[in-house]
Amino acid sequence: MPAQAHQTRVPGESWHDSLWHSSPPGSIYDYIKVASFSIGPDGLIDQWSLRAEELFGLPAAQAVGRDPVDAFMPPELRDGGHRRVAEILDGKEWTGLVPFRIPGGDGAHGVAEIYVMPTQTETGERAALCVVVDVRALRRIESDLAASQAIFGQSPFGFLLFGTDLTVQRANRRFATVFGGAVEEHRGRTVHDYLPAHEADRMAAALRRVLETGESVTDLRITGAAPGSRENRHWSINLYRVHGGTGRPIGIAGLGTDVTRRHLAAREAAGVRRNLALLNEAGHRIGNSLDLETTARELLDVTVPGFCDLAAVDLYEGLLLGDDDRPARPQGPGVPTLPGQGVRRAPSAPLRRVAFASAVSDAPLSGPGALVSVGETHRYPAASPGAVALRTARTRLIEGGGSDDLVQSTLIVPMVAHDTVVGLAQFSRTKGSEPFGERDRAVAVELAARAAVCIDNARLYRREHERALILQRSLLPPGDPEAAGLDIACRYLPGNAATEVGGDWFDVIELPGHRTALVVGDVMGRGLRAAVAMGELRTAVRTLALLDLEPAEVLSALDEVARGLGAPGGAQQASRSALHSRDADRSEVYLATCVYAVYDPVTRRCTIANAGHMPPVLVEPAEDGAEPRPGLLLEIPTGMPLGVGGEPFEEVEVELPEGALLALYTDGLVESRDHPLEEGLRGLRGAVADPARPLEEVCDHVLDTLHTRHGEDDIALLMARVQGLPVEAVGDWQLPREARSVGRARELARAKLPGWGLEGLLDTTELLVSELVTNALRYGEGEIRLRLLLDRTLVCEVWDANLAQPRRRRARDTDEGGRGLQLVGLLSAGWGTRRTHRGKTVWFELPLPMPGGGAPGEAAAELSAEDLLSMYG
């Protein structure tokens, strides 16, 4: 039957109607190329189908009426062919393979499988109907079927063929092996028979989409359990639509691959990558601060929610308070062996919760210590997991919880650093998250260890920082410094806990003659080393100031001290080491900047020398009604920093008007990472522009205006307002070099003191002035100058042109002299000598009488009467 006449039933039609419904080509008959022709009673072809024309390449006009044996068979086979046709016309059926060739063609030939069925004509004569199939087409179909069966049946992957109604039409053996039963038993089933409801719905939706659109689906991940197993498996499903020969969809093919191992390996690899990324992030984010609480919060910022849902950190209270007296690991029976020998911890010591984080709610952790708030001090019960973890220094994993418990898995991790337990970290995952595994345990231990090391480093730094601050502050002037003729205010702001201690310092030193030395310096570098160097330099400055040297001489001597700080043998060893580069490399280099100023309140002149420091700022008082003028940077030669050596220092003398303001400072006040030095200096000059304001307010205004960001560097600020000694507080006389000048000096002192209300000091002052003037006449040169100064004490100075310094000695009983300076030292509060540009000055100082009491100097004279008698025989 020609393919065009094939009938197929369409759903919804009656069987009678479907008999005459024509289907499009594409059936099996079209693939195997079935042709037909008939042989009449005379043995000749009387009918020739169109498919026969296609198969043999011969039109009906040339085939009808011809002998098929003579027309198509080779000559050597024709005799047998005629006998076979005769038998067929006698009513015998026959089937066989017959070689043929196309008559009159180009020699094309083939083999046909012929089915011969005897028939009768209307008149009862014998005839035959021949159905012919091209053997080549049959072999090709058989080969295709065998290949299809091999691919479908022998595939190691699960193979399903779904019909257009989404039911299983065919399953291969691999699928049946996994899901049980024989291959035929799966016919007619749906995906809901194999998968959980939600996965079956996903699969059915994908099948419908493929059937409707024709778009294939690749690597659809489906999860489900095989029959009889509770373990979920993971499959990768590939779907594509299958078409018939006419191109119409006849179903969907599904290929399933078990990718459970691949899924687990991928999840494991993803977990490893996630943990490596977590540890890498922890390395960057934990330990950026030297604050213990901040470091604990950094740990939780890294772990929540990337590693867990809830987390908390408890640190020992003593650690936070700077107490290092935590007991060492206990010894004896029953004590568990720790992972690291010698681990120190105090499980019974109080802890403070310093950080808590939650990604799901504000509810605290469950379990022991669950109700502890941040900042609260607590202890874990002795048998609790937290106490056990602290006692053994081992991580504890707690699984499960009550039906109302938010947490399902908790890791309690002791934080161990340098064989010391510093605290405890808790990491929890809530229900719905994956419980902690061994890999998570290792990650938690690593995270806690990193945080513990940073916390312990912060603890050590805090301890050293506090010690350095104590040292640094102990070396600064206590209280508010006082000076004659100066109103002084100062500020010292150390760096915060995030920065190291610096070497900034300032000092106010009282000098003879009511003069004052103002010092500000800065040791380069930071830390305890700089603070110690600062202390040594400050002590050296005070020692040099007692020698009453000029500012340039003080800095030169201080430079030698700074050069010797880094060498074990001092400055001389440092100088020798400079000749040998190997020794010089091993020597530490201490460099410092310093400005040293000496103010004389009598002359209102200030002598200043600079060793690489910031220039002082001078603000002159504004005239009445005039706008305040900005400060001026004093032009002082900037020498090399202390410790460089080899360069002399210069000094400049500046006259300071009454009411002027002088500011000395360190670079932390005017320089920072955000503001260049020029901008800071300009801001300082403007901030001190009004010297008439109270000096304390000026200091505060400067710090508030300059935005100094105090934590970046130490800041030292020393401000002095010039007041000067009034004229009436100074007595200054020139005395000729003659014997009667001693009596004249006594007369001048006796005449001056009553005007100052110092009658109680007359005898002592007269006696001591007489001694100094007598020594100037006996051992000095040139004219003699006598000066009395009144401020907080009474100072007497005697000048002469001889540079030789007087030396106090103990006179023997037989000596007739040599007791003058002993007398001065015994009756005065202090005495000394200093060189000047034109000679020397010898001075003594007497304290002023106390209100409502006697004169201390007079009492000293009375108490020393016996000594006086013994000294003068």
Side-chain angles (χ1 to χ4, degrees), residues 286-350:
I286 298 177
N288 293 323
S289 169
L290 289 172
D291 181 75
L292 279 72
E293 292 85 350
T294 301
T295 302
R297 288 193 295 270
E298 290 171 347
L299 171 63
L300 301 193
D301 291 340
V302 171
T303 56
V304 179
F307 179 71
C308 60
D309 301 316
L310 298 161
V313 174
D314 299 324
L315 298 180
Y316 280 114
E317 180 76 5
L319 181 142
L320 296 171
L321 298 177
D323 179 16
D324 287 337
D325 297 331
R326 285 164 288 158
R329 182 169 72 94
Q331 303 292 332
V335 177
T337 302
L338 300 180
Q341 294 299 320
V343 176
R344 303 173 67 240
R345 71 270 191 228
S348 61

Side-chain angles (χ1 to χ4, degrees), residues 61-74:
Q62 298 180 13
V64 174
R66 299 185 63 177
D67 185 340
V69 175
D70 295 337
F72 302 105
M73 295 185 70

